[in-house]
Amino acid sequence: MAERQEQTAPDAVMTRIGQVVMLHHAGDREEARHRFLDLWAEIGEDGDPLHRCTLAHYMADTHDDPSDELAWDLRALTAAEELTDDRLAEHESTLAVRALYPSLHLNLAADYVKLDRSDAARTHLRRARGAAESLADDSYGDGVRAAISRLELRLGEGGSSGTGGWGPPRQRP
C-alpha cells in the first residue's frame, strides 16, 4: 500500500516546473528563465531524466537567441534518450517516451530554421514526422502534426518525407 501511494504522490519538481511554465505563459519570460536556471542547478546535469527533459524543453522557449534555444532543446532530447517508459509512467501513465520525440524533433527543426541550417532542420523534421505515428488522435497529437505540416511547407518539404497526408486540422461547420 505504501508503495502504491508513493507512486501516485505528486512529483514536487514537476509541480515546480509547471508553476514556472505558468509564469512564463503569463508573460514573465525573464523571471521564468531565472527560475528554470535555479531548478536546473538543483536538478543537475545528471539528475532525473524526466526532470531534465521537461525543464530543458520549456527552458528553450524562454530564450531569444536561437543558439541558446537550440542548446536547451538538445539537452531535452539527450535527457529523453535516457528516459524509460516506467519512469514516465510514475508521473503520467498515459504518456510513453516515444510520444515525446515528435515535439522534441520539431523544436530542433524550428531551431535550425532560425539558424539558417536547413539541412539539419529537414533531418529533424523527417524524424518528427516519423515519430508522429506514436501520437494519439487527440488535440495534442493534432497540434503537433499540424505544426510539422506547417514547417514542412515552409521548408518546401510538402509532406513528401513521410506517410500520410495530414493537412490542417478539420474545421467543424
Side-chain angles (χ1 to χ4, degrees):
M1 179 76 166
E3 182 180 318
R4 177 89 172 137
Q5 287 176 333
E6 185 177 303
Q7 287 182 340
T8 60
D11 183 326
V13 173
M14 292 300 284
T15 299
R16 291 171 62 200
I17 291 169
Q19 291 168 340
V20 178
V21 169
M22 288 189 299
L23 180 68
H24 178 236
H25 287 168
D28 199 342
R29 193 175 192 189
E30 188 171 332
E31 181 63 21
R33 182 173 39 247
H34 290 298
R35 289 189 188 188
F36 277 142
L37 283 172
D38 289 344
L39 275 169
W40 186 260
E42 287 179 36
I43 294 168
E45 291 283 335
D46 297 319
D48 184 325
L50 176 61
H51 296 157
R52 288 185 292 120
C53 179
T54 305
L55 191 147
H57 176 70
Y58 287 113
M59 176 63 140
D61 295 336
T62 68
H63 286 279
D64 295 319
D65 183 324
S67 295
D68 291 337
E69 191 173 354
L70 173 64
W72 284 103
D73 281 330
L74 287 169
R75 285 182 184 106
L77 180 62
T78 298
E81 290 169 348
E82 297 172 27
L83 201 51
T84 65
D85 282 331
D86 288 341
R87 172 59 184 109
L88 197 57
E90 291 174 20
H91 176 69
E92 182 66 53
S93 61
T94 61
L95 190 60
V97 171
R98 66 186 177 280
L100 299 173
Y101 286 101
S103 179
L104 294 172
H105 284 293
L106 176 62
N107 288 350
L108 286 164
D111 295 341
Y112 285 121
V113 166
K114 292 175 192 172
L115 292 166
D116 200 27
R117 295 177 55 190
S118 58
D119 288 343
R122 284 184 177 93
T123 296
H124 282 282
L125 192 55
R126 283 190 292 275
R127 290 177 184 165
R129 179 176 264 284
E133 294 175 6
S134 67
L135 294 172
D137 287 328
D138 57 14
S139 61
Y140 174 76
D142 291 345
V144 172
R145 284 186 289 271
I148 290 169
S149 293
R150 285 191 303 272
L151 193 53
E152 285 175 334
L153 289 172
R154 184 173 173 192
L155 288 173
E157 292 285 300
S160 62
S161 61
T163 60
W166 294 328
R170 291 184 300 249
Q171 302 211 343
R172 299 181 194 260

